[in-house]
Amino acid sequence: MVRWDGILFDLDGTLLDTSEGVLKAIDNTLGEMHLTMPAGMERTDLIGPPIYDSFRDIFHLSSREAEIAAGIFRNAYKEKYLFEAAAYDGIYGLLEFLRSENCRMAVATNKRIDYTLMLLRHFRMEEYFDYIKGSDFENRLRKTEIIGNCAAEFGKIGIDSLVMVGDTDHDFIGAGRNGIDFVGVAYGFGFRQPGRQQGIDICGSVHELKDYFRARAKGQ
């Protein structure tokens, strides 16, 4: 048995590389809103937080303007670009291994829940997860709340037996605020360097992540 009895996964940048579709929807939105990326920032900086927050904070939009931008993004993403994504190399092998170790698994993501379910079904991942939690349609839920709601589903499994796997500080902070352990990945949209950093173990690939869990299954 791996050290943790329950594992929560982020979606974007952890299970799936959704960057192609997301970036196309961002480009669509920037064009319609006549926005230009600020100097020193990249479009990938919009990926991770709720899209409303990203447009509001990066472009200093009013609440109403950010709502309009988020609406344009969501419509374009769902109708045109949702399935322009790919499973990370080795991810199915990792999920199979964890299932063989009798781990209960869940998804806790900022992505809207309907998009999340559509993607997991499309990539035939839904069957691996006991619980799936995403953002509400108004994107009012924050990552901390989503992780907390997901952790509550594990019931008798204590907080100290859960771990969150994610690629950004939002995942790390959300896990910490819920008292849950965290393991980072450097192949997604946030963390860039694998290794031990500021008390966080960060794996450079899915294969490293599998080895990381396998080592704990052996008590190393």
Side-chain angles (χ1 to χ4, degrees), residues 8-13 15 18 48 50 106-117 119-120 131-136 139 141-143 145-147 150 164 167 171:
L8 290 68
F9 286 92
D10 177 47
L11 180 65
D12 300 83
L15 294 172
T18 54
V107 173
T109 174
N110 269 330
K111 188 178 288 296
R112 218 170 75 172
I113 186 62
D114 55 337
Y115 302 165
T116 298
L117 292 172
L119 278 166
L120 291 174
Y131 317 111
I132 299 170
K133 297 291 183 180
S135 182
D136 55 312
N139 284 119
L141 289 174
R142 292 297 177 260
K143 196 59 177 279
E145 297 172 281
I146 294 168
I147 292 173
C150 197
M164 176 77 199
D167 67 311
D171 303 313

Side-chain angles (χ1 to χ4, degrees), residues 39-198:
M41 301 201 73
E42 302 290 339
R43 294 172 302 156
T44 52
D45 293 325
L46 280 81
I47 303 176
I51 198 65
Y52 169 90
D53 292 355
S54 292
F55 279 112
R56 181 196 60 197
D57 297 341
I58 290 176
F59 298 100
H60 306 292
L61 301 181
S62 67
S63 297
R64 179 56 182 157
E65 289 170 332
E67 286 177 4
I68 293 171
I72 293 171
F73 171 87
R74 293 184 194 118
N75 288 336
Y77 185 56
K78 183 176 182 180
E79 298 301 326
K80 300 178 182 179
Y81 309 121
L82 182 63
F83 298 125
E84 294 192 26
Y88 284 107
D89 183 44
I91 201 68
Y92 294 102
L94 169 64
L95 297 175
E96 287 286 352
F97 166 72
L98 293 173
R99 185 160 66 177
S100 74
E101 290 291 319
N102 297 316
C103 285
R104 292 167 68 185
M105 292 181 281
V107 173
T109 174
N110 269 330
K111 188 178 288 296
R112 218 170 75 172
I113 186 62
D114 55 337
Y115 302 165
T116 298
L117 292 172
M118 291 168 69
L119 278 166
L120 291 174
R121 289 165 185 163
H122 179 79
F123 286 95
R124 298 183 179 180
M125 287 187 183
E126 185 180 24
E127 65 184 80
Y128 291 102
F129 299 106
D130 298 280
Y131 317 111
I132 299 170
K133 297 291 183 180
S135 182
D136 55 312
F137 280 36
E138 293 76 30
N139 284 119
R140 292 174 181 167
L141 289 174
R142 292 297 177 260
K143 196 59 177 279
T144 297
E145 297 172 281
I146 294 168
I147 292 173
N149 292 341
C150 197
E153 295 285 356
F154 283 88
K156 293 182 180 179
I157 295 180
I159 290 296
D160 58 351
S161 294
L162 299 178
V163 62
M164 176 77 199
V165 180
D167 67 311
T168 70
D169 284 334
H170 300 282
D171 303 313
F172 171 59
I173 293 169
R177 288 176 176 170
N178 282 284
I180 296 172
D181 289 339
F182 179 78
V183 176
V185 298
Y187 55 79
F189 306 131
F191 303 119
R192 293 302 178 204
Q193 297 296 324
R196 183 78 176 173
Q197 300 174 35
Q198 298 181 339

Side-chain angles (χ1 to χ4, degrees), residues 16-29:
L16 295 174
D17 180 357
T18 54
S19 59
E20 183 175 353
V22 171
L23 290 174
K24 285 183 178 180
I26 287 172
D27 286 340
N28 188 102
T29 308

